[in-house]
Amino acid sequence: MNAPFNFSAGPAMLPAEVMQQAQAEFLSWRNCGISVLEISHRDPAFMRMAAEAEQDLRDLMAIPDNYHVLFMHGGGRGQFSAVAQNIASPDATVDYLNCGIWSEFAIREAQKYVAQVNVVGGPVQTEQGKAICAPQQWQLSEQAAYFHYCPNETVDGIAVHDIPEVAAPLVADMSSNILSTRLDVSRFGVIYAGAQKNIGPSGFAIAIVRNDLLGKAQGNTSTIMDYTVQAKEGSMYNTPNTFAWYLSGLVFQWLKRQGGVAAMEQLNRAKAAKLYDFIDRSSFYSNPVHPHYRSLMNVPFLLADDALNERFLREAEQHGLVGLKGHRFVGGMRASIYNAMPMAGVDALLAFMADFEKKA
Ligand SMILES: *Cc1c(COP(=O)(O)O)cnc(C)c1O
């Protein structure tokens, strides 16, 4: 049987080419006779690789020179506290737009470190489906140390496509949409992402931090999570996750070979449009999100009868379509279609869905 298409939300599908390269050089990395897992992070060959990975990411995202790129521990959720501790003082006020489940976790984490966590708005139910409260309704604070939002809520499949226009430094959790569409990085104070959705292995995170936001860490910030220390130490204050850094670097090279983020955006828009069009035309499948707020990366859908869910998942798996079960908080199905998912995967899913509907 052909390799399955993996629609898992994270850890998620990686480009086969990348994994084959990692496999081919696993025992002897860059002909040095030892594995990349075994080499010192201070070894010149590793340091060169690390710098190339950073440069590739900078090229892909057109990251301006006045930003540091940090390779951090602790995944996406590690950044929930890191952002609060690094950017805000304990007596500060911070603004959060509640876009869904991950935003709620981020808000709860920030409450541990910052006196006033002001939620400016949240999800709303409209006639056309689930949406996020519009900017005109946001209750912004006077002097927020930052404004935090999650442009792609992975669980709910809700996206805020328009970059918020706010006075405070903008902080974005891009764990599930980094590198998926072109982005004006200069609009942001901090962009962070856990790696396992659109980049590489889990437990790893990337933080892109504007220089003027460094030097503000709260005194009790754990040193390995301190942006200023990590910026000064080239993300090697302690031993970084060398394998994740390496693998992420391979993904960045792969992205460049695909034509970069602009090419990915085109493909991602086409994949998502195909899926949503099919779901909207069907009376058997439905998507609960307002068309303007639909995610390009995570497409949740419900079957007309929940009792068919188990059978759908079982038969999908038999057709080589795995990882389609919706998040345990919301149920139903979810197709995650990150950069590594080719159009062929979406086509195979749609063919299966059409067939299943006919038989149901
Ligand atoms: C997956 C995810 C997280 C959590 O990432 P971890 O690496 O598991 O901590 C946070 N935010 C968003 C938007 C996510 O999709």
Side-chain angles (χ1 to χ4, degrees):
M1 193 174 136
N2 293 333
F5 290 111
N6 177 9
F7 292 91
S8 171
M13 185 168 182
L14 287 167
E17 236 174 273
V18 164
M19 289 189 288
Q20 280 153 0
Q21 184 181 345
Q23 184 184 45
E25 62 193 19
F26 191 65
L27 293 181
S28 176
W29 180 63
R30 295 193 174 180
N31 299 317
C32 63
I34 61 172
S35 175
V36 67
L37 279 171
E38 303 171 301
I39 200 166
S40 165
H41 57 298
R42 307 280 182 204
D43 184 285
F46 188 88
M47 299 275 280
R48 210 173 321 120
M49 186 287 301
E52 283 162 10
E54 177 178 337
Q55 190 55 51
D56 285 339
L57 181 64
R58 284 184 176 276
D59 296 344
L60 285 164
M61 294 181 71
I63 299 172
D65 288 342
N66 62 322
Y67 286 76
H68 270 87
V69 175
L70 309 178
F71 296 85
M72 307 278 291
H73 300 276
R77 290 180 90 156
Q79 293 301 306
F80 291 175
S81 51
V83 156
Q85 288 197 290
N86 275 284
I87 310 295
S89 59
D91 59 356
T93 299
V94 292
D95 282 349
Y96 276 71
L97 178 63
N98 178 2
C99 304
I101 284 165
W102 288 117
S103 299
E104 284 171 27
F105 285 129
I107 288 164
R108 265 187 257 160
E109 199 67 10
Q111 284 167 341
K112 295 185 191 171
Y113 303 103
V114 181
Q116 290 294 326
V117 178
N118 172 43
V119 179
V120 306
V124 288
Q125 190 63 45
T126 73
E127 276 176 21
Q128 287 176 274
K130 286 196 266 180
I132 307 292
C133 162
Q136 299 77 27
Q137 265 101 52
W138 294 348
Q139 307 282 318
L140 297 170
S141 14
E142 292 276 308
Q143 284 282 341
Y146 63 81
F147 176 103
H148 180 285
Y149 82 121
C150 178
N152 189 75
E153 279 282 355
T154 322
V155 171
D156 315 77
I158 292 187
V160 175
H161 295 292
D162 304 319
I163 299 176
E165 310 227 12
V166 291
L170 199 53
V171 176
D173 173 4
M174 296 199 183
S175 294
S176 53
N177 70 325
I178 191 165
L179 293 162
S180 64
T181 53
R182 286 162 302 159
L183 183 75
D184 180 359
V185 173
S186 73
R187 299 276 301 275
F188 295 86
V190 178
I191 292 169
Y192 67 83
Q196 72 274 30
K197 276 74 184 236
N198 229 355
I199 298 177
S202 58
F204 195 52
I206 284 169
I208 301 165
V209 183
R210 205 173 61 211
N211 292 351
D212 62 287
L213 297 172
L214 295 173
K216 295 170 182 277
Q218 297 180 11
N220 58 0
T221 305
S222 150
T223 312
I224 67 163
M225 298 306 267
D226 187 318
Y227 290 163
T228 310
V229 173
Q230 290 290 18
K232 198 166 131 263
E233 302 286 338
S235 304
M236 293 192 189
Y237 167 75
N238 71 327
T239 315
N241 185 335
T242 52
F243 188 75
W245 199 326
Y246 152 78
L247 206 89
S248 301
L250 294 189
V251 171
F252 299 152
Q253 288 170 5
W254 176 83
L255 282 170
K256 281 186 151 181
R257 291 199 297 277
Q258 306 310 301
V261 174
M264 280 296 128
E265 173 170 353
Q266 214 178 6
L267 176 63
N268 289 330
R269 288 191 187 283
K271 287 185 296 188
K274 234 188 210 182
L275 256 172
Y276 287 117
D277 282 354
F278 173 86
I279 291 168
D280 286 346
R281 275 187 282 107
S282 153
S283 52
F284 181 74
Y285 300 103
S286 62
N287 169 275
V289 181
H290 186 298
H292 184 66
Y293 290 89
R294 285 177 173 175
S295 165
L296 297 175
M297 296 280 99
N298 311 96
V299 180
F301 59 92
L302 302 169
L303 311 191
D305 179 0
D306 270 347
L308 292 171
N309 286 356
E310 289 297 322
R311 205 184 105 204
F312 181 92
L313 290 167
R314 198 173 54 241
E315 291 184 14
E317 212 157 294
Q318 286 159 3
H319 283 77
L321 305 164
V322 304
L324 285 164
K325 195 177 165 74
H327 193 279
R328 62 201 152 89
F329 291 172
V330 293
M333 306 297 154
R334 173 176 49 172
S336 295
I337 46 173
Y338 302 117
N339 285 343
M341 177 63 66
M343 186 60 95
V346 171
D347 289 336
L349 174 60
L350 291 181
F352 168 76
M353 286 170 73
D355 196 46
F356 188 88
E357 176 175 358
K358 256 185 245 137
K359 288 187 303 185

